[in-house]
């Protein structure tokens, strides 16, 4: 493993730097005083189920062992002071203020979402003053859900400080609302759900409509998760995401008219889509086809994980990537380059883009004995093809958020 921790590095959890929990606690003590609560929340990969979450569909994520930690204390004021140990910045924000298009929006968004959910007459938690110190080893902007890790960790810390009992499904929903309503990112619930419900050595098969989920075995002894950050992000990402959502909604409306059944989400056209697909405009048809088939791939991969058949899971990942590239058109040359390397590498079961697309990361499922070979090939071949150095993260499926009440710091 390389010691180089800049772009193009290959890192494992806490290799070298102090863990985020220790950094967050130290930053809180130094800047503000002794923390009363420590909350952490992980990033995620999504094995199969790309762009299905906001379509009420199926996803198969796993939380990863990279976390954001928030050390928090009540301040007695009416502002939120927040220190990012990772960025080396401190900000004071008004919990009643408007979004500022900065990282602190996730903090204020989480506080506001919790406020709204509070049905007590007491001053809502977000407008009571708190001090927060944040540290993270979830790489930002890599498509590994660093925003969800931050929002869930802040939400959990604020709820604990405010003595609020927020059930887990509610926490995931509130943190999603923080992103959609305050930050202004129209995401689905995939990232927040994985960050809340992740389980060590398990993947989560989640139905985004019913919010029912099942934990499936993904033991590190049998298969490794490797995330490869392409180190590219395209401007297209945000606008294309909204555009795909709108096209899918159009597909729902058209299918509802065309079929003799009620179609509230694309999955409701299951088994009948082929009969009327020819009546849809070509782009709408391709987007809908991706979503319907992707749901089937999640079902297949779920069954395969239950049976411990990782090659079968990998085949679903490969097919998912093809469909995201050709039908949903959210891949890019850099993501395709990493997936191609995985496809040629013995021991790599499968690979696909994870996250919104147009850059960010590829997730690969790799036999434990083949991880070194795969990482080596990516580090050699990806720069050859793109001129860019990748970051390679060897991950394990990890637990979701956690809160510790600290005493006598
Ligand atoms: C982003 C969003 C998720 C999901 C994925 C695509 O990561 O935050 O809600 O839509 O893209 O699967």
């Amino acid at each position: 493993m390389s010691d180089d921790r800049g772009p193009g590095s290959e890192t494992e959890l806490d290799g070298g730097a102090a863990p985020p929990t220790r950094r967050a606690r130290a930053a809180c003590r130094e800047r503000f005083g002794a923390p009363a609560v420590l909350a952490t929340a992980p990033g995620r990969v999504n094995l199969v189920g790309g762009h299905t979450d906001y379509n009420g569909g199926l996803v198969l994520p796993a939380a990863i062992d990279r976390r954001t930690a928030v050390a928090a204390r009540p301040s007695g004021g009416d502002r939120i002071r927040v220190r990012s140990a990772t960025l080396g910045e401190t900000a004071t924000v008004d919990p009643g203020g408007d979004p500022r298009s900065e990282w602190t929006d996730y903090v204020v968004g989480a506080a506001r979402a919790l406020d709204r959910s509070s049905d007590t007459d007491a001053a809502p938690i977000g407008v009571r003053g708190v001090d927060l110190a944040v540290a993270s080893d979830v790489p930002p902007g890599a498509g590994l859900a660093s925003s969800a890790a931050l929002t869930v960790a802040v939400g959990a810390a604020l709820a604990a400080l405010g003595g609020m009992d927020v059930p887990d499904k509610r926490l995931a929903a509130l943190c999603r609302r923080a992103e959609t309503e305050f930050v202004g990112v129209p995401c689905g619930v995939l990232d927040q759900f994985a960050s809340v419900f992740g389980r060590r050595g398990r993947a989560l098969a989640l139905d985004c409509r019913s919010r029912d989920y099942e934990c499936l075995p993904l033991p590190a002894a049998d298969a490794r998760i490797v995330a490869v950050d392409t180190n590219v992000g395209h401007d297209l990402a945000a606008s294309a995401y909204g555009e795909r959502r709108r096209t899918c909604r159009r597909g729902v409306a058209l299918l509802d008219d065309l079929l003799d059944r009620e179609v509230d989400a694309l999955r409701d056209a299951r088994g009948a889509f082929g009969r009327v697909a020819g009546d849809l405009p070509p782009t709408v048809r391709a987007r809908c086809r991706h979503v319907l088939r992707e749901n089937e791939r999640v079902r297949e991969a779920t069954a395969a994980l239950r049976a411990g058949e990782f090659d079968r899971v990998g085949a679903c990942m490969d097919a998912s990537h093809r469909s995201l590239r050709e039908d949903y058109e959210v891949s890019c040359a850099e993501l395709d380059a990493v997936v191609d390397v995985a496809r040629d590498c013995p021991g790599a079961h499968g690979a696909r883009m994870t996250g919104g697309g147009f850059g960010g990361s590829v997730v690969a499922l790799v036999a434990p004995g083949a991880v070194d070979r795969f990482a080596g090939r990516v580090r050699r071949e990806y720069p050859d093809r793109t001129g860019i150095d990748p970051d390679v993260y060897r991950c394990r499926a990890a637990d979701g958020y956690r809160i510790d009440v600290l005493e006598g710091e």
Side-chain angles (χ1 to χ4, degrees):
M1 210 172 76
S2 163
D3 286 327
D4 166 17
R5 304 189 64 78
S9 67
E10 186 181 326
T11 53
E12 214 159 340
L13 175 66
D14 300 336
T21 45
R22 204 183 310 152
R23 285 188 282 136
R25 288 169 82 149
C28 188
R29 259 194 315 272
E30 278 159 27
R31 289 275 154 175
F32 310 123
V37 160
L38 178 72
T40 69
R44 62 97 193 91
V45 291
N46 187 21
L47 296 177
V48 190
H51 290 267
T52 49
D53 62 345
Y54 54 80
N55 281 303
L58 309 178
V59 292
L60 189 58
I64 55 173
D65 51 353
R66 290 189 156 263
R67 305 180 79 84
T68 294
V70 173
R73 65 197 294 278
S75 69
D78 60 359
R79 298 288 162 118
I80 299 176
R81 289 191 299 178
V82 55
R83 167 80 183 165
S84 165
T86 309
L87 300 175
E89 283 174 20
T90 308
T92 301
V93 286
D94 174 0
D98 292 330
R100 309 201 294 203
S101 300
E102 288 173 13
W103 63 277
T104 51
D105 287 351
Y106 294 96
V107 175
V108 177
R112 286 272 266 277
L114 275 177
D115 277 356
R116 299 238 173 95
S117 82
S118 168
D119 47 12
T120 67
D121 288 336
I125 176 72
V127 297
R128 271 185 261 137
V130 287
D131 293 333
L132 306 170
V134 183
S136 183
D137 62 9
V138 185
L144 298 175
S146 59
S147 349
L150 175 59
T151 315
V152 171
V154 169
L158 293 178
L161 274 186
M164 294 170 79
D165 183 17
V166 184
D168 286 350
K169 283 193 178 166
R170 185 135 185 77
L171 180 64
L174 289 175
C175 289
R176 178 198 179 193
R177 195 181 300 162
E179 294 208 34
T180 55
E181 290 182 8
F182 192 77
V183 183
V185 177
C187 59
V189 78
L190 163 72
D191 303 352
Q192 297 79 11
F193 201 96
S195 190
V196 168
F197 284 94
R199 281 265 298 280
R200 186 178 175 173
R202 299 272 194 273
L204 305 173
L206 166 67
D207 182 325
C208 296
R209 179 150 72 179
S210 67
R211 306 281 158 96
D212 290 336
Y213 73 100
E214 183 188 346
C215 291
L216 297 153
L218 185 55
D222 295 342
R224 288 291 163 83
I225 298 164
V226 182
V228 179
D229 184 1
T230 57
N231 279 320
V232 293
H234 293 277
D235 292 345
L236 219 55
S239 58
Y241 193 89
E243 188 275 329
R244 296 299 183 280
R245 283 194 73 134
R246 286 192 296 279
T247 306
C248 288
R249 269 204 298 273
R250 195 158 158 236
V252 167
L254 291 171
L255 288 166
D256 190 52
D257 285 346
L258 287 166
L259 292 171
D260 52 2
R261 57 167 88 164
E262 201 174 318
V263 179
D264 283 331
L266 291 174
R267 67 194 289 177
D268 298 326
R270 188 180 186 209
F273 178 73
R275 271 195 275 127
V276 294
D279 296 332
L280 297 173
T283 304
V284 178
R285 178 165 66 229
R287 308 295 189 242
C288 296
R289 185 169 54 213
H290 164 75
V291 173
L292 279 149
R293 289 185 178 166
E294 189 75 352
N295 284 334
E296 298 311 315
R297 283 186 284 268
V298 174
R299 290 181 213 279
E300 164 78 7
T302 300
L305 266 189
R306 220 178 270 130
E309 293 172 12
F310 299 109
D311 269 337
R312 222 169 114 206
V313 180
C316 296
M317 295 170 76
D318 289 344
S320 167
H321 187 79
R322 262 194 306 279
S323 175
L324 286 160
R325 189 182 65 214
E326 284 157 25
D327 271 351
Y328 219 66
E329 296 184 275
V330 287
S331 188
C332 62
E334 294 86 355
L335 287 165
D336 294 345
V338 178
V339 169
D340 284 350
V341 174
R343 232 168 246 154
D344 282 351
C345 181
H349 299 296
R352 66 177 280 277
M353 50 161 277
T354 185
F358 299 104
S361 294
V362 163
V363 55
L365 198 63
V366 184
V371 171
D372 284 341
R373 177 169 49 212
F374 173 61
R377 283 177 73 157
V378 169
R379 291 171 67 76
R380 266 193 322 277
E381 293 175 30
Y382 178 73
D384 280 354
R385 294 172 65 153
T386 62
I388 304 166
D389 285 328
D391 282 311
V392 180
Y393 300 104
R394 299 158 183 237
C395 308
R396 289 163 192 251
D399 283 329
Y401 87 105
R402 165 189 173 116
I403 300 174
D404 288 303
V405 175
L406 308 170
E407 280 163 29
E409 280 263 314

